[in-house]
Amino acid sequence: MPEATVLNRPLYPSSAADAIIRAEKIEKYYAQPSQSRIQVISATDLSIVPGEILALLGPSGSGKSTMLRMLSGLSTPSAGQVFWHGRPISQAEINVSIVFQSFALFPWLTVLDNVEAPLQARGVAPAVRRERSLKMLDTVGLDGFEAAYPKELSGGMRQRVGFARALVVEPEVLFMDEPFSALDVLTAENLRSELLELWAKKTMPTKAVFLVTHNIEEAVLLADRIIVLGRNPGRIRTDFQVQLAQPRDRKSEAFTQLVDYIYKVLTRPDAEPDQAPGPQSIPAVRDQRQMRYQMLPHARPGGIAGLLELVLDKGGRDDIYRLADDLAFEIDDLLPIVDAGQLLGYLKVEEGDAVITPNGEEFANSEILRQKELFRNAAVENVLLLRQIRRALDAKSDHTVPEEFFLDLLDEQFSEEESQRQMETAITWGRYAELFDFDSARRRFVLPDALDEDMAADQESK
Ligand code: ADP
Ligand code: MG
């Protein structure tokens, strides 16, 4: 891998000691109505050091935005502390800006006024802020659009305004939360390379960039260092330097190796990650926490069947990355389906490939009624929540149990919102498998054939 040895920046530009931002054992939890609390981020150490673009990758809901908010001083950790040049961040004068996915421009202000707004807030004199804003608009390619309003602009141009507004204050650290994910593919690609160019040419005085993304390729394209977050609770699964020279070639061996490695980490949430490819990887941090309920991936049985058929069609094994590509799926859309296939014992993930198991093959080859039966067996065997619901229904003489009962159990472990989503998925799976039915008016689970059985029993006793 020749690319891997050519570095455009020093490998370890600085140590944690001269970090701009340093987080020490920060945690975040949210209070729950049931008095228990949900841990979103478990104790995490993380430093943002000068000279690097740091990408924070992770599935949605893993706490990336929560982490960004704590590191940028927008929110306070529930435990632990964040330091800005060694001083507690709440007492320091910090210089950061944030670019959000949703542009977050003031619709009633012109482009120029939007860019001037943060300078005005910092008390910069009118003439100076005008000059700096015009220059910044020029830099991001918005010359000529100063008087336009946000609604007159395309998404890509609005995000350029977002960048101009963030950069005009010359932040020491630029934070970005999925800044390209609302844009079409070409626009996103364009903006990414322009951002890199600004960074490489040192046109911006910014010393470090912290990028939140769920897009693996984006992270590998841009970042000097990548941290992968796992979820429930959010914690660092792997943290390594990317040793590829810029500009990076998506087709190069080293690039695809790294993408594969990250896929592997993301698709095996419970396994200890291997070392990242490359000579100087930092050892991964291991998660020790075991959860009682598995996190049900939000995938439909039809989607799982579809994926299994596709994998079978490809000879029983294919690269997850290529599968996503073939389906024109984002990783966030494909991974839950792969997760679900794994959970049910239909798929295994090996070296970044999805590999169908004998059970998966039987499922994919069966007709619909048999598929339901197989799914039912796999679900009862592998999914605690579904097994519990079914047991409770069998045990009760009226064969019905309120949803609330299981929501309370889930609430101990997941946020309220996630508990609801877990329940929705469980209902979808249980209905498909004919494990139970759900009376949505009364919010109760019922045995699908409870009525028939009652009637049969009545008949017999007569
Ligand atoms: P990501 O950015 O990786 O998608 P977030 O940081 O937005 O993840 O959220 C992580 C988890 O924290 C999610 O499960 C979310 O539901 C939960 N969460 C975020 N904000 C709150 C809040 N204010 N109250 C309760 N739960 C929250
Ligand atoms: Mg987010």
Side-chain angles (χ1 to χ4, degrees):
M1 330 185 269
E3 293 97 321
T5 54
V6 189
L7 293 169
N8 59 333
R9 279 170 195 277
L11 210 123
Y12 293 101
S14 358
S15 68
D18 37 49
I20 305 172
I21 295 172
R22 185 166 55 84
E24 238 180 56
K25 305 248 173 308
I26 54 170
E27 296 179 49
K28 189 76 178 180
Y29 22 82
Y30 291 106
Q32 289 288 108
S34 62
Q35 308 224 313
S36 62
R37 51 189 199 186
I38 294 300
Q39 185 153 35
V40 173
I41 300 286
S42 62
T44 300
D45 293 333
L46 199 163
S47 291
I48 300 178
V49 298
E52 71 181 18
I53 298 182
L54 170 55
L56 185 66
L57 251 178
S60 64
S62 55
K64 301 182 296 296
S65 298
T66 303
M67 197 71 109
L68 179 145
R69 286 198 294 272
M70 291 193 288
L71 292 170
S72 61
L74 268 188
S75 88
T76 314
S78 313
Q81 209 165 15
V82 179
F83 298 92
W84 171 268
H85 289 291
R87 296 186 56 192
I89 197 163
S90 54
Q91 294 157 30
E93 201 166 304
I94 68 172
N95 182 17
V96 303
S97 34
I98 309 178
V99 178
F100 294 100
Q101 175 189 341
S102 58
F103 318 134
L105 303 177
F106 301 121
W108 60 88
L109 294 182
T110 62
V111 165
L112 181 59
D113 290 340
N114 260 291
V115 177
E116 278 192 39
L119 292 176
Q120 188 172 7
R122 292 182 185 206
V124 177
V128 178
R129 66 179 193 243
R130 176 123 315 183
E131 194 199 322
R132 277 172 62 180
S133 301
L134 286 170
K135 197 162 150 241
M136 190 47 77
L137 282 168
D138 200 16
T139 307
V140 301
L142 281 174
D143 211 6
F145 289 91
E146 295 84 0
Y149 286 89
K151 68 170 188 298
E152 302 172 68
L153 303 179
S154 67
M157 285 164 77
R158 274 183 238 170
Q159 195 55 303
R160 281 172 198 272
V161 182
F163 277 112
R165 193 179 53 181
L167 291 173
V168 77
V169 300
E170 307 193 332
E172 193 168 336
V173 181
L174 174 65
F175 285 94
M176 301 192 278
D177 194 346
E178 313 244 9
F180 308 108
S181 57
L183 306 174
D184 66 77
V185 178
L186 287 179
T187 307
E189 195 65 7
N190 221 335
L191 265 181
R192 278 186 207 114
S193 44
E194 286 180 29
L195 180 81
L196 267 184
E197 216 171 292
L198 286 181
W199 171 252
K201 282 200 305 213
K202 308 232 187 261
T203 322
M204 48 189 197
T206 296
K207 298 218 178 69
V209 175
F210 185 89
L211 167 73
V212 160
T213 179
H214 68 262
N215 182 324
I216 297 179
E217 286 203 24
E218 178 172 301
V220 178
L221 271 174
L222 299 180
D224 301 301
R225 175 180 162 207
I226 295 177
I227 292 180
V228 180
L229 271 196
R231 64 184 159 197
N232 287 316
R235 77 280 180 198
I236 294 179
R237 301 211 43 232
T238 177
D239 175 346
F240 58 91
Q241 304 282 330
V242 180
Q243 301 155 53
L244 308 176
Q246 291 285 6
R248 293 180 184 157
D249 174 8
R250 287 176 192 260
K251 300 241 149 39
S252 75
E253 177 72 20
F255 192 100
T256 51
Q257 259 187 19
L258 206 48
V259 170
D260 271 356
Y261 162 73
I262 298 169
Y263 260 98
K264 254 172 36 186
V265 174
L266 283 168
T267 47
R268 291 186 313 186
D270 303 319
E272 181 167 6
D274 301 333
Q275 292 237 317
Q280 300 215 32
S281 308
I282 297 170
V285 177
R286 186 179 153 80
D287 168 42
Q288 268 136 19
R289 179 152 166 172
Q290 269 299 321
M291 307 302 286
R292 179 168 152 78
Y293 288 102
Q294 309 106 316
M295 174 101 168
L296 292 187
H298 304 293
R300 291 164 193 276
I304 301 166
L307 176 67
L308 290 172
E309 282 168 28
L310 182 62
V311 175
L312 196 60
D313 204 45
K314 303 225 172 194
R317 170 182 198 124
D318 200 13
D319 188 51
I320 293 172
Y321 177 55
R322 202 157 40 231
L323 286 167
D325 224 33
D326 285 353
L327 293 163
F329 269 30
E330 285 274 354
I331 181 196
D332 257 20
D333 299 328
L334 186 65
L335 281 187
I337 307 178
V338 174
D339 281 354
Q342 277 184 283
L343 180 60
L344 293 164
Y346 290 159
L347 277 180
K348 278 193 296 201
V349 176
E350 291 172 9
E351 310 286 309
D353 285 356
V355 185
I356 201 161
T357 63
N359 283 351
E361 195 166 335
E362 187 186 1
F363 178 82
N365 279 327
S366 299
E367 43 76 45
I368 180 78
L369 285 180
R370 176 73 183 143
Q371 276 191 335
K372 280 176 181 263
E373 192 181 327
L374 292 169
F375 193 94
R376 179 158 63 237
N377 297 341
V380 169
E381 192 171 322
N382 296 297
V383 183
L384 175 63
L385 177 60
L386 292 175
R387 189 161 62 235
Q388 284 184 335
I389 295 175
R390 178 63 195 221
R391 285 238 178 103
L393 288 175
D394 284 335
K396 275 192 69 188
S397 56
D398 62 354
H399 300 314
T400 155
V401 184
E403 175 194 32
E404 196 70 30
F405 178 74
F406 295 103
L407 272 178
D408 281 349
L409 294 175
L410 289 174
D411 272 348
E412 299 291 313
Q413 189 175 318
F414 300 108
S415 71
E416 206 173 332
E417 188 188 321
E418 188 54 52
S419 298
Q420 286 290 351
R421 295 207 296 162
Q422 289 294 308
M423 197 52 97
E424 271 166 39
T425 303
I427 292 171
T428 307
W429 288 19
R431 276 181 163 160
Y432 170 83
E434 294 174 20
L435 263 175
F436 49 74
D437 206 345
F438 185 69
D439 180 343
S440 47
R442 293 189 305 146
R443 308 299 305 173
R444 292 182 82 90
F445 292 98
V446 291
L447 225 44
D449 44 6
L451 273 177
D452 302 349
E453 271 175 15
D454 282 352
M455 273 154 63
D458 279 354
Q459 293 288 331
E460 265 168 40
S461 63
K462 271 176 196 161

